[in-house]
């Protein structure tokens, strides 16, 4: 077995070197490019463009999650129910409720919004770095004081979580253990060549997977975003740590190690100015650039809008002059949340197709708002704010004019609470009460039916079925399909993908709730809390709908390859 290290700063041509090698892979040898999840689509596009056939035959692009899927598809053996991040949070919610009286430091915090999410992230990090409950308990014993008490209580929560999961469920981190035990059973990895690109660090679980790949593959090539010999430079601390760990793995299996220096090779596509800045940016003493910096443009803007306007005008000019296509351009920001909507709006004015490379929270999507505000309306006994939040999601069957008329009437006569369940009688001279009462019935009838089922706190399975029946009574699935079709006609392709994913996510969350909570009594308040916990961290991502778009992203997550 051989492991190769490709040294070089970003832009020196490491990825192009890999593409050229993968293009020349013999027909009898399988080749796989292993990249982070957000780079899989772009990498597949780049490989297809360089392929003589325009497609991929003996080579494939994988991420660690996609690798697991391929292995499980071929080797099978997943006997436990797989749960996602929201399922894990539901398990933690149940565990915290059972531990409630025994908790001391976290007893108050356990009931607050966000605590479950943070604990779930902590447990996920612990699993990724092979830290179990016993290790936390050991750290608590060696710490003492308030820190020791916190670690001790976290260890108890972690241990109770693992006990609940054992033999029943597995999350994404647990799947790694199943993956490692099955990688030597699959044929597609045996004798294969693996190229690993786009990573600046590996978790402990990633390293274990790479170690297993070293056992079954012929050769692994790893790109390192650092110059050769820069291991002692603080600027390259993370890649240097990654290199040390890889060398330790190679030594364990007695693998041949081959360093390859990509600096100064023919594949370096950077301009002279780019190479100069890369070498001098953190150097001391530094050198000054001698010449005209034509490849670098700096400009001042008095506000955010002017900044984006100048950027859009520059992109429009570059494309109009034929120098670039939209897909050759990326806009990178370190404050994407503040810029995203402004960029989308201003670029639309310039007819610039844009793809926002960011995961979006689902909490404010109308579909999720409909479910949460419906439960909150019941819990608040048809108070004004949650009830009209529910109505304004657009899924109650009312037109916008009907919703506005109903709201105006309720504001004028103070209608809320139990008065919603009685016919409207005030204002017959000013309002058409027959129409308003018909609207009232369409709004209240499904909510009242759901309330009747949930008021006795039925088992979780029955409560979830009642919520599904509520969605069916609204014709939710049909409305979603009609909504998607109208967005497709309007060419809002990103919204189409987003809405379809959110509907699937909602059904998955409900299925996991029924499976995890089982016979636990679940009333309106408890169901609302569980769903808010699950949806709070749920995010949706979409892929570019066309090839020729400007990619807009953050420094950490961007479609612009490193």
């Amino acid at each position: 077995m051989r492991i190769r290290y490709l040294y070089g700063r970003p832009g020196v041509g490491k990825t192009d070197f890999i593409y050229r090698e993968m293009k020349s892979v013999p027909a009898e040898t399988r080749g796989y490019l292993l990249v982070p999840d957000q780079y899989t689509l772009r990498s597949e596009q780049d490989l297809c463009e360089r392929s003589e056939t325009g497609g991929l035959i003996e080579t494939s692009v994988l991420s660690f999650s996609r690798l697991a899927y391929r292995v499980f598809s071929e080797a099978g053996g997943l006997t436990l129910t797989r749960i996602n991040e929201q399922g894990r949070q539901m398990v933690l919610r149940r565990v915290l409720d059972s531990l409630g009286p025994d908790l001391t430091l976290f007893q108050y915090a356990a009931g607050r919004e966000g605590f479950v999410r943070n604990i779930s992230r902590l447990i996920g990090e612990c699993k990724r770095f092979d830290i179990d409950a016993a290790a936390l308990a050991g750290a608590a014993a060696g710490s003492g004081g308030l820190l020791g008490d916190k670690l001790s209580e976290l260890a108890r929560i972690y241990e109770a979580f693992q006990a609940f999961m054992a033999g029943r469920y597995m999350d994404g981190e647990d799947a790694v253990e199943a993956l490692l035990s099955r990688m030597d059973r699959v044929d597609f990895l045996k004798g294969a060549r693996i190229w690993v690109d786009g990573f600046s660090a590996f978790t402990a679980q990633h390293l274990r997977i790479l170690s297993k790949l070293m056992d079954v593959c012929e050769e692994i090539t790893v790109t390192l975003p650092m110059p050769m010999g820069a291991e002692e430079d603080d600027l390259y601390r993370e890649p240097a740590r990654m290199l040390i760990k890889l060398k330790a793995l190679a030594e364990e299996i007695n693998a041949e190690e081959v360093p390859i220096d990509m600096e100064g090779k023919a594949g370096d596509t950077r301009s002279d100015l780019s190479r100069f800045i890369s070498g001098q940016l953190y150097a001391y003493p530094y050198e000054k650039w001698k010449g005209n910096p034509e490849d670098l443009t700096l400009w001042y803007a008095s506000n955010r809008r002017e900044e984006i306007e100048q950027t859009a005008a520059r992109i429009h000019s570059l494309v109009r002059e034929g120098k670039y296509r939209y897909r050759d351009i990326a806009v990178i920001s370190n404050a994407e949340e503040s810029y995203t909507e402004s960029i989308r709006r201003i670029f639309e004015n310039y007819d610039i197709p844009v793809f926002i490379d960011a995961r979006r929270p689902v909490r404010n999507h109308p579909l999720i708002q409909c479910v949460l505000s419906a439960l909150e309306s019941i819990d608040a006994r048809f108070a004004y704010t949650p009830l009209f939040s529910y109505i304004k999601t657009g899924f109650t069957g009312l037109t916008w004019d009907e919703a506005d008329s109903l709201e105006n009437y309720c504001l004028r006569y103070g209608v809320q609470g139990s008065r919603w369940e009685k016919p409207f009688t005030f204002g017959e001279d000013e309002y058409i009460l027959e129409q308003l009462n018909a609207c009232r019935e369409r709004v209240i009838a499904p909510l009242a039916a759901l309330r009747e089922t949930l008021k006795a706190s039925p088992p979780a399975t029955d409560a979830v079925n009642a919520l599904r029946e509520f969605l069916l009574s609204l014709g939710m699935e049909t409305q979603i399909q009609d909504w998607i079709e109208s967005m497709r006609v309007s060419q809002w392709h990103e919204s189409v993908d987003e809405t379809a994913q959110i509907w699937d996510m909602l059904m998955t969350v409900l299925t996991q709730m029924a499976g995890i909570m089982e016979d636990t009594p679940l009333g309106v308040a408890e169901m609302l809390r569980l769903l808010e916990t699950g949806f709070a961290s749920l995010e949706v991502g979409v892929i570019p709908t066309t090839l020729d778009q400007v990619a807009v992203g953050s420094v950490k997550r961007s479609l612009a390859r490193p």
Side-chain angles (χ1 to χ4, degrees), residues 299-312 346:
W299 65 74
Y300 295 95
S302 58
N303 53 53
R304 185 183 304 152
R305 180 177 181 83
E306 182 183 344
E307 179 185 4
I308 300 171
E309 289 270 9
Q310 292 189 44
T311 303
I346 294 171

Side-chain angles (χ1 to χ4, degrees), residues 197-235:
D197 188 28
F199 294 91
S200 58
F202 293 122
T203 67
Q205 288 189 336
H206 288 163
L207 289 170
R208 292 170 65 191
I209 294 173
L210 289 174
S211 177
K212 192 68 176 181
L213 286 174
M214 291 179 184
D215 291 337
V216 297
C217 296
E218 174 187 332
E219 179 185 87
I220 293 180
T221 302
V222 183
T223 63
L224 299 168
M226 57 182 288
M228 183 180 289
E231 289 84 354
E232 301 300 324
D233 193 332
D234 284 345
L235 181 60

Side-chain angles (χ1 to χ4, degrees), residues 351-401:
D351 294 325
I352 298 175
V354 61
F355 173 71
I356 308 296
D357 178 32
R359 297 190 65 82
R360 303 149 196 191
V362 306
R363 180 65 171 77
N364 296 322
H365 190 275
L367 173 57
I368 303 303
Q369 273 295 308
C370 178
V371 175
L372 296 180
S373 57
L375 291 171
E376 189 178 354
S377 297
I378 297 172
D379 189 47
R381 300 181 181 181
F382 302 149
Y384 168 81
T385 300
L387 186 57
F388 274 96
S389 294
Y390 163 67
I391 292 172
K392 290 177 181 179
T393 61
F395 292 110
T396 59
L398 302 185
T399 65
W400 295 118
D401 288 339

Side-chain angles (χ1 to χ4, degrees), residues 435 447 466 510:
Q435 293 181 2
L447 293 174
L510 293 181

Side-chain angles (χ1 to χ4, degrees), residues 229-411:
E231 289 84 354
E232 301 300 324
D233 193 332
D234 284 345
L235 181 60
Y236 303 104
R237 182 180 302 171
E238 287 303 320
R241 289 177 178 173
M242 182 170 68
L243 176 62
I244 292 171
K245 294 174 182 177
L246 289 172
K247 285 181 171 291
L249 290 179
E251 187 177 347
E252 286 179 9
I253 64 172
N254 197 28
E256 178 188 359
E257 298 179 83
V258 179
I260 301 175
D261 188 4
M262 297 299 299
E263 296 280 345
K265 293 288 182 69
D268 191 344
T269 58
R270 297 176 299 169
S271 65
D272 292 338
L273 178 60
S274 180
R275 280 195 292 269
F276 178 83
I277 292 176
S278 178
Q280 298 296 319
L281 186 60
Y282 293 99
Y284 186 82
Y286 57 84
E287 298 178 13
K288 291 185 178 182
W289 172 256
K290 299 176 181 178
N292 185 20
E294 297 177 352
D295 300 328
L296 178 65
T297 302
L298 300 176
W299 65 74
Y300 295 95
S302 58
N303 53 53
R304 185 183 304 152
R305 180 177 181 83
E306 182 183 344
E307 179 185 4
I308 300 171
E309 289 270 9
Q310 292 189 44
T311 303
R314 179 61 175 160
I315 292 173
H316 192 272
S317 174
L318 290 172
V319 174
R320 185 183 57 202
E321 293 169 3
K323 295 181 179 179
Y324 297 93
R325 296 183 62 178
Y326 289 120
R327 66 182 181 182
D328 300 324
I329 301 170
V331 178
I332 308 299
S333 169
N334 202 29
E336 69 278 8
E337 293 182 359
S338 303
Y339 280 79
T340 297
E341 289 307 317
S342 297
I343 289 176
R344 191 192 302 275
R345 185 168 56 254
I346 294 171
F347 278 33
E348 184 177 342
N349 294 336
Y350 281 80
D351 294 325
I352 298 175
V354 61
F355 173 71
I356 308 296
D357 178 32
R359 297 190 65 82
R360 303 149 196 191
V362 306
R363 180 65 171 77
N364 296 322
H365 190 275
L367 173 57
I368 303 303
Q369 273 295 308
C370 178
V371 175
L372 296 180
S373 57
L375 291 171
E376 189 178 354
S377 297
I378 297 172
D379 189 47
R381 300 181 181 181
F382 302 149
Y384 168 81
T385 300
L387 186 57
F388 274 96
S389 294
Y390 163 67
I391 292 172
K392 290 177 181 179
T393 61
F395 292 110
T396 59
L398 302 185
T399 65
W400 295 118
D401 288 339
E402 288 174 333
D404 289 341
S405 297
L406 191 61
E407 184 175 21
N408 291 336
Y409 181 87
C410 293
L411 287 172

